[in-house]
């Protein structure tokens, strides 16, 4: 089997994808994006490149025998005029910048189309690392009650509706009241914001209420940008006093599943995979 190419942005996801693929017996090669990817990606075969060095990125993938390529991790929209570029990058930057102006989903689709046009096969994280996919049902010891299930259903509705406008993948709902919706700040910052609201409308670590919901936006390409939770998500939810986390089974990712389950059990939170 050919090596899996991973274009790595920020966060723990690229490392989790690489580890999952290796554990399944597949060779990997990582192109780590400067100013985005974490240094810990260095434990895998890798090299570094700027988002503007498209020629270098494509050359590295070819030199290391990659046919399947996955995009993983966060990539903040750069100041394109300040990017280090090569000849190929100069040609592609206008296209990439135009896509970025239309939102993260458009940017990811543009990068995927560029890879396909260069003869690579863009693959989704679900294909590259299926072991990371959330499964249906309760993952730990704590089970959601009827209020939790109702809040989760409300959160799914909110995420689906706002996601059509490329707003975010997550919401926090407590007793039917929407406490927070994810925007550009990211999930952990959104959870923290919910925790700053008056205690009479939210849960506390002593009396847990409310649910964090993460689901795929209608506008999202499943090959490039699935919702993700990890231990940090559980810890943030626990500090805020939430009762649990609901994610979309088969279309969301759980990083370090056993550690997530352990953290949720220890904090008294549920983690639940609802049907796609």
């Amino acid at each position: 089997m050919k090596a899996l190419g991973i274009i790595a942005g920020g966060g723990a996801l690229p490392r989790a994808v690489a580890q999952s693929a290796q554990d399944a017996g597949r060779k990997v090669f990582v192109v780590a994006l400067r100013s985005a990817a974490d240094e810990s990606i260095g434990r895998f075969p890798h090299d570094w490149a700027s988002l503007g060095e498209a020629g270098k990125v494509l050359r590295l993938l070819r030199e290391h025998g990659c046919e399947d390529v996955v995009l993983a991790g966060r990539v903040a929209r750069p100041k394109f005029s300040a990017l280090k570029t090569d000849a190929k990058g100069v040609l592609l930057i206008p296209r990439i910048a135009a896509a970025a102006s239309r939102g993260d989903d458009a940017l990811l689709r543009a990068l995927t189309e560029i890879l396909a046009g260069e003869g690579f096969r863009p693959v989704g994280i679900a294909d590259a690392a299926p072991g990371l996919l959330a499964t249906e049902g309760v993952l730990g010891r704590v089970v959601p009650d009827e209020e939790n299930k109702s809040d989760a259903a409300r959160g799914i509705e909110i995420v689906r509706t706002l996601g059509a406008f490329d707003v975010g993948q997550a919401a926090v709902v407590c007793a039917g009241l929407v406490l927070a919706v994810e925007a550009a700040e990211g999930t952990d910052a959104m959870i923290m914001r919910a925790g700053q609201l008056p205690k009479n409308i939210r849960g506390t670590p002593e009396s847990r209420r409310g649910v964090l919901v993460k689901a795929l936006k209608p506008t999202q390409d499943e090959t490039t940008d699935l919702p993700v939770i990890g231990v940090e998500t559980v810890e943030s939810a626990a500090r805020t006093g939430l009762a649990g986390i609901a994610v979309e089974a088969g279309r969301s990712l759980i990083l370090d599943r056993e550690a997530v389950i352990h953290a949720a059990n220890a904090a008294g939170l549920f983690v639940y995979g609802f049907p796609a």
Side-chain angles (χ1 to χ4, degrees):
M1 183 182 295
K2 296 283 188 178
L4 173 68
I6 302 171
I7 299 179
L13 180 58
R15 186 172 66 250
V17 171
Q19 189 63 60
S20 181
Q22 274 196 349
D23 290 346
R26 190 169 193 183
K27 291 182 180 179
V28 301
F29 179 77
V30 181
V31 179
L33 296 178
R34 297 188 188 281
S35 302
D38 191 274
E39 292 287 343
S40 63
I41 206 68
R43 72 177 70 170
F44 304 100
H46 73 286
D47 205 335
W48 293 84
S50 160
L51 184 61
E53 294 178 298
K56 181 178 181 181
V57 172
L58 298 170
R59 174 178 57 79
L60 287 170
L61 293 171
R62 290 189 177 106
E63 286 178 353
H64 291 84
C66 302
E67 290 183 358
D68 292 352
V69 180
V70 62
L71 303 171
R74 299 186 302 272
V75 181
R77 295 179 210 179
K79 185 177 180 180
F80 288 99
S81 61
L83 274 180
K84 181 180 179 181
T85 59
D86 55 21
K88 186 76 171 181
V90 169
L91 295 175
L92 292 175
I93 282 297
R95 179 179 175 185
I96 294 171
S101 70
R102 298 193 301 273
D104 293 344
D105 296 335
L107 173 59
L108 288 169
R109 280 194 295 272
L111 295 174
T112 298
E113 290 167 1
I114 288 168
L115 287 168
E118 292 290 332
F120 296 98
R121 188 171 80 97
V123 298
I125 294 171
D127 295 319
L132 299 180
L133 286 172
T135 52
E136 283 191 31
V138 178
L139 272 68
R141 291 196 300 265
V142 184
V143 178
D145 61 22
E146 290 307 311
E147 181 179 279
N148 300 149
K149 291 177 182 178
S150 178
D151 284 342
R154 175 76 166 148
I156 294 164
E157 181 182 5
I158 294 296
V159 172
R160 292 266 193 268
T161 302
L162 293 181
F165 297 94
D166 196 13
V167 172
Q169 300 175 324
V172 175
V173 180
C174 181
L177 181 65
V178 181
L179 302 186
V181 175
E182 182 184 37
E185 80 275 41
T187 302
D188 287 342
M190 178 203 66
I191 297 170
M192 186 182 303
R193 180 157 47 84
Q196 294 170 350
L197 294 171
K199 291 183 179 180
N200 64 308
I201 63 170
R202 63 174 176 87
T204 66
E206 296 73 34
S207 180
R208 297 196 173 280
R209 295 177 71 201
V211 179
L212 166 67
V213 176
K214 296 203 73 169
L216 195 71
K217 295 182 289 186
T219 59
Q220 279 181 285
D221 182 346
E222 292 185 45
T223 63
T224 56
D225 191 20
L226 294 177
V228 180
I229 67 166
V231 172
E232 289 184 5
T233 317
V234 174
E235 292 173 345
S236 294
R239 286 192 297 270
T240 296
L242 296 183
I245 300 170
V247 295
E248 189 172 14
R251 303 208 301 178
S252 298
L253 306 173
I254 299 178
L255 307 187
D256 199 348
R257 183 183 307 260
E258 292 306 315
V260 164
I261 293 172
H262 177 77
N265 287 341
L269 272 72
F270 67 83
V271 178
Y272 177 75
F274 60 84

